[in-house]
């Protein structure tokens, strides 16, 4: 990655208030991107314009509740009106959801995790696909988890939502293969964030990498010269696999 290669590229980062999304915002701003940054509230995004500017880029905060279709519609309208294209979409916002055995899990808890981790990303692709196609090199990147294919008891909402996300991105990648758009996923492995602490409270947070460690990989996979399509980058092993069930 050559420094400044995201210069003037318009990149949407969902879940940019903290954790992996905030680290992505910083890494992209350092490369000169204009980051459209979302979280549920503008308060959670306070100061990001100045932060991005100090790093050499720019940021526009937009409040967006990912489970609200009307919020995603409004976000797409804002991006279309201001930029008329989208060079990168980093679909990162996510929740762990309730950890409970399927027999005990209230259905609304299952639905809530799917709404944010899966349906919202479908809505983002559905609304932003025309704007990604207007970019000379639109790049979509989503965050999955090894739990999409591991079967931990009590993890149905998270596990199912990430498996569905991998299927969604794999299908979309197939659909856009003859365009200038590319769509991929990153599987970060353990990263020191609030979600990780919620998932594994017994783990020593100091034993897992900070979100900043992912910055270079995220910047690379959102850059115009990243040509792969329909792959998952496993950050821990440094390997790429296709978007499909492991053999
Ligand atoms: N950390 C890990 O070890 C790990 C491993 C594998 C995959 N991941 C994935 O990485 C992504 C980022 O997770 P993280 O670890 O950085 O978690 P995090 O620190 O808890 O951050 C989650 C982000 O998502 C946003 N968000 C949550 N619910 C939302 C909603 N309903 N509407 C809009 N935004 C919402 C939060 O913003 P507000 O709360 O400010 O609205 C926040 O910015 C997730 O997709 C997660 O599944 C993480």
């Amino acid at each position: 990655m050559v420094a400044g290669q995201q210069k003037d590229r318009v990149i949407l980062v969902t879940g940019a208030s903290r954790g992996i999304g905030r680290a992505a915002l910083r890494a992209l701003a350092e490369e000169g991107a204009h980051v459209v940054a979302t979280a549920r509230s503008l308060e959670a995004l306070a100061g990001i314009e100045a932060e991005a500017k100090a790093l050499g880029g720019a940021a526009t905060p937009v409040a967006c509740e990912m489970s609200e279709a009307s919020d995603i519609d409004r976000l797409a309208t804002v991006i279309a009106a201001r930029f008329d294209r989208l060079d990168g979409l980093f679909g990162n916002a996510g929740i762990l959801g309730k950890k409970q055995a399927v027999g005990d899990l209230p259905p609304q808890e299952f639905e809530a995790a799917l709404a944010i981790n899966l349906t919202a990303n479908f809505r983002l692709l559905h609304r932003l696909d025309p704007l990604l196609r207007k970019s000379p090199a639109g790049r979509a990147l989503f965050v999955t988890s090894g739990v999409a294919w591991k079967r931990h008891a009590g993890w149905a909402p998270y596990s199912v939502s990430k498996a569905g996300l991998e299927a969604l991105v794999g299908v979309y990648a197939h659909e856009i293969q003859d365009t200038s758009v590319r769509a991929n996923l990153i599987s970060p492995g353990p990263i020191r964030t609030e979600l990780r602490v919620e998932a594994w409270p017994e783990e020593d947070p100091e034993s897992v990498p900070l979100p900043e460690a992912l910055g270079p990989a995220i910047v690379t996979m959102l850059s115009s010269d990243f040509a792969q399509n329909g792959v998952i980058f496993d950050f821990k092993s440094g390997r790429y696999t296709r978007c499909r069930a492991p053999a």
Side-chain angles (χ1 to χ4, degrees):
M1 182 80 223
V2 180
Q5 216 166 339
Q6 298 284 0
K7 188 153 173 45
D8 300 328
R9 275 170 67 78
V10 178
I11 315 255
L12 170 63
V13 175
T14 70
S17 57
R18 61 172 187 271
I20 294 169
R22 190 57 169 256
L25 160 64
R26 292 195 192 106
L28 291 161
E30 269 178 2
E31 295 294 332
H34 188 131
V35 179
V36 178
T38 77
R40 278 171 290 185
S41 72
L42 287 178
E43 292 73 41
L45 296 166
I48 61 156
E49 290 124 305
E51 190 179 352
K53 196 172 170 198
L55 291 167
T60 297
V62 180
C64 184
E65 162 59 65
M66 284 294 149
S67 61
E68 288 289 341
S70 58
D71 276 20
I72 292 177
D73 287 347
R74 187 173 45 81
L75 173 65
T77 303
V78 166
I79 295 169
R82 172 118 187 240
F83 302 104
D84 195 33
R85 73 174 200 284
L86 185 63
D87 301 305
L89 157 57
F90 184 46
N92 161 79
I95 61 166
L96 178 67
K98 198 165 177 64
K99 281 198 291 177
Q100 205 161 24
V102 170
D104 301 321
L105 183 72
Q108 62 270 28
E109 297 287 353
F110 183 76
E111 288 164 7
L114 262 68
I116 295 161
N117 295 353
L118 177 57
T119 307
N121 286 320
F122 164 77
R123 289 189 192 282
L124 284 168
L125 277 177
H126 172 69
R127 288 304 311 261
L128 297 170
D129 168 71
L131 294 176
L132 286 166
R133 289 173 190 251
K134 280 190 174 181
S135 166
R139 298 286 176 265
L141 179 65
F142 294 86
V143 190
T144 187
S145 160
V147 176
W149 295 101
K150 285 180 201 143
R151 300 295 178 238
H152 292 307
W155 283 65
Y158 194 70
S159 188
V160 172
S161 65
K162 293 298 185 183
L165 178 65
E166 290 186 10
L168 170 69
V169 177
V171 169
Y172 180 70
H174 189 65
E175 290 167 357
I176 47 83
Q177 64 188 349
D178 294 331
T179 75
S180 59
V181 181
R182 295 287 173 261
N184 297 291
L185 297 118
I186 184 167
S187 182
I191 298 291
R192 200 185 311 169
T193 66
E194 288 184 20
L195 185 148
R196 180 75 193 176
V197 171
E198 189 188 347
W200 302 103
E202 66 286 359
E203 180 181 79
D204 173 10
E206 302 282 324
S207 68
V208 297
L210 288 165
E212 283 66 27
L214 293 174
I218 293 167
V219 168
T220 295
M221 294 183 82
L222 287 167
S223 71
S224 53
D225 54 6
F226 189 76
Q228 299 216 59
N229 190 37
V231 298
I232 303 172
F233 177 63
D234 182 68
F235 177 69
K236 210 172 163 188
S237 67
R239 287 170 46 190
Y240 290 96
T241 53
R242 302 298 309 169
C243 286
R244 62 175 182 229

